[in-house]
Amino acid sequence: MDFANLQAFVAVAEQHSFSRAAGQLFLTQPAVSKRIAALEAELGNPLFDRIGHQVQLTETGHALLPRARNILLELEDTRRSIRNLSDQVGGQLSMVTSHHIGLHRLPPVLRRYSGDYPQVELDLQFMESEQACQAVLHGDSELGVVTLPLTPPAELKFQAIWHDPLHIVISPEHPLTREKSLTSKTLLAWPAILPMRDTFTRTLVEQAFADWQTPEPLQVKLATNNLETIKMMVGIGLGWSVLPQTLLDEELACLLLPKLQLARELGVVWHAGRTLSNAASAMLDCLQQSAKPG
């Protein structure tokens, strides 16, 4: 099977669109259609049903997709292994990270890395930590610099880089700041603003309160994954939240609950079954050198 044809097939399957796949591959839409047609002719079966503007995999397409992904990943892994023999640090490094880590943790690492390895073309994409881990898992990126999951998938290797203390925060004008002895019951009587359900940070917060055996449920009034947006909403008095130390300033007041210690680990993940390029290995070294208490 032709590598380019398989690549086009996977792109259309993931994008659910010939035009979006063409944009991803920097090809024209007719060129993508031609590659799909060639693959369908080779297999003797259609791979997609085209119903109006909808593109859906056929039974043959569903059967081929995981195998096609594995073939492309094996080819890329072989190429990396061969390129690594030169010991040169160059080429493209595909990396994903969250917006918060990209803004508050990565800049000095990237500055050092680009200075030490100017021949590396860095392809850095921003997404939620949960999606970033999936991108590494599926082979779309070599490295993810993320909030580490409480239970990482077995296929991923990970290393904690930054310990990230979390603090309960509220507007300085909020009535909770006048409580002399704050209790969980008092706190949980007020609405919270937290990341979306099933995110790593939300899971950590929910687990911490559950371990604390608080009888009162969390009242989540608003949910968003943008921590800067959460900070703004807390600052104007819409509720309390849990935010990392890097976002604390005079716009927020910290609430102390001595029995509740919250922290998350920020770090790097990569696929356990694939060869890292020299560029990715060098990035790992830079990240390890930056490791220090949060």
Side-chain angles (χ1 to χ4, degrees), residues 171-223:
S171 166
E173 289 79 33
H174 196 281
L176 279 174
T177 60
R178 297 190 288 274
E179 291 286 336
K180 293 182 179 179
S181 180
L182 187 66
T183 65
S184 63
K185 183 176 181 179
T186 307
L187 175 67
L188 295 178
W190 293 87
I193 304 167
L194 294 174
M196 303 289 284
R197 188 180 296 277
D198 296 327
T199 57
F200 299 152
T201 301
R202 173 74 172 267
T203 301
L204 184 152
V205 171
E206 290 177 336
Q207 183 174 308
F209 276 94
D211 291 344
W212 200 19
Q213 298 180 335
T214 55
E216 299 80 11
L218 282 167
Q219 299 183 55
V220 182
K221 178 180 181 180
L222 296 165

Side-chain angles (χ1 to χ4, degrees), residues 6-285:
L6 283 176
Q7 192 178 42
F9 163 70
V10 171
V12 174
E14 292 178 344
Q15 296 293 328
H16 305 287
S17 164
F18 278 74
S19 60
R20 288 196 295 270
Q24 178 183 314
L25 298 172
F26 302 102
L27 297 170
T28 63
Q29 186 170 332
V32 171
S33 298
K34 185 176 180 180
R35 292 183 181 186
I36 299 300
L39 189 56
E40 290 176 329
E42 182 180 356
L43 295 172
N45 282 295
L47 297 171
F48 296 101
D49 286 325
R50 302 161 180 82
I51 305 171
H53 295 293
Q54 299 293 318
V55 177
Q56 297 179 342
L57 286 166
T58 63
E59 184 177 355
T60 301
H62 277 294
L64 177 61
L65 184 57
R67 293 171 173 82
R69 282 175 172 151
N70 286 336
I71 290 169
L72 294 177
L73 290 172
E74 284 297 324
L75 285 171
E76 182 58 32
D77 197 53
T78 301
R79 287 173 173 170
R80 278 199 293 264
S81 296
I82 293 172
R83 285 197 297 264
N84 286 353
L85 295 175
S86 68
D87 291 329
Q88 293 182 349
V89 180
Q92 186 180 74
L93 171 58
S94 176
M95 194 165 109
V96 285
T97 191
S98 70
H99 286 86
H100 181 75
I101 294 174
L103 284 172
H104 297 278
R105 298 289 188 172
L106 270 185
V109 177
L110 297 179
R111 188 180 301 113
R112 184 186 313 119
Y113 184 83
S114 60
D116 291 344
Y117 306 105
Q119 293 182 319
V120 175
E121 179 186 346
L122 185 62
D123 176 17
L124 181 62
Q125 297 186 44
F126 294 88
M127 59 185 71
E128 306 299 339
S129 291
E130 298 75 25
Q131 285 72 47
C133 284
Q134 289 299 310
V136 174
L137 197 60
H138 294 155
D140 299 325
S141 290
E142 274 200 84
L143 297 177
V145 185
V146 298
T147 299
L148 295 178
L150 298 178
T151 307
E155 300 91 340
L156 293 183
K157 288 186 176 181
F158 69 96
Q159 181 174 351
I161 302 297
W162 302 285
H163 181 68
D164 200 35
L166 300 172
H167 300 268
I168 300 172
V169 294
I170 199 72
S171 166
E173 289 79 33
H174 196 281
L176 279 174
T177 60
R178 297 190 288 274
E179 291 286 336
K180 293 182 179 179
S181 180
L182 187 66
T183 65
S184 63
K185 183 176 181 179
T186 307
L187 175 67
L188 295 178
W190 293 87
I193 304 167
L194 294 174
M196 303 289 284
R197 188 180 296 277
D198 296 327
T199 57
F200 299 152
T201 301
R202 173 74 172 267
T203 301
L204 184 152
V205 171
E206 290 177 336
Q207 183 174 308
F209 276 94
D211 291 344
W212 200 19
Q213 298 180 335
T214 55
E216 299 80 11
L218 282 167
Q219 299 183 55
V220 182
K221 178 180 181 180
L222 296 165
T224 175
N225 290 339
N226 189 304
L227 297 185
E228 281 74 14
T229 300
I230 291 178
K231 176 186 174 182
M232 177 275 293
M233 291 192 289
V234 170
I236 62 176
L238 297 184
W240 64 270
S241 189
V242 176
L243 289 176
Q245 191 166 307
T246 47
L247 288 181
L248 302 187
D249 59 22
E250 67 281 355
E251 297 177 4
L252 302 173
C254 289
L255 301 176
L256 298 178
L257 283 169
K259 294 182 180 179
L260 188 66
Q261 301 297 320
L262 289 167
R264 59 184 185 172
E265 299 299 324
L266 311 179
V268 57
V269 297
W270 65 98
H271 201 289
R274 298 185 188 123
T275 303
L276 286 180
S277 65
N278 289 342
S281 295
M283 177 60 79
L284 267 179
D285 289 340

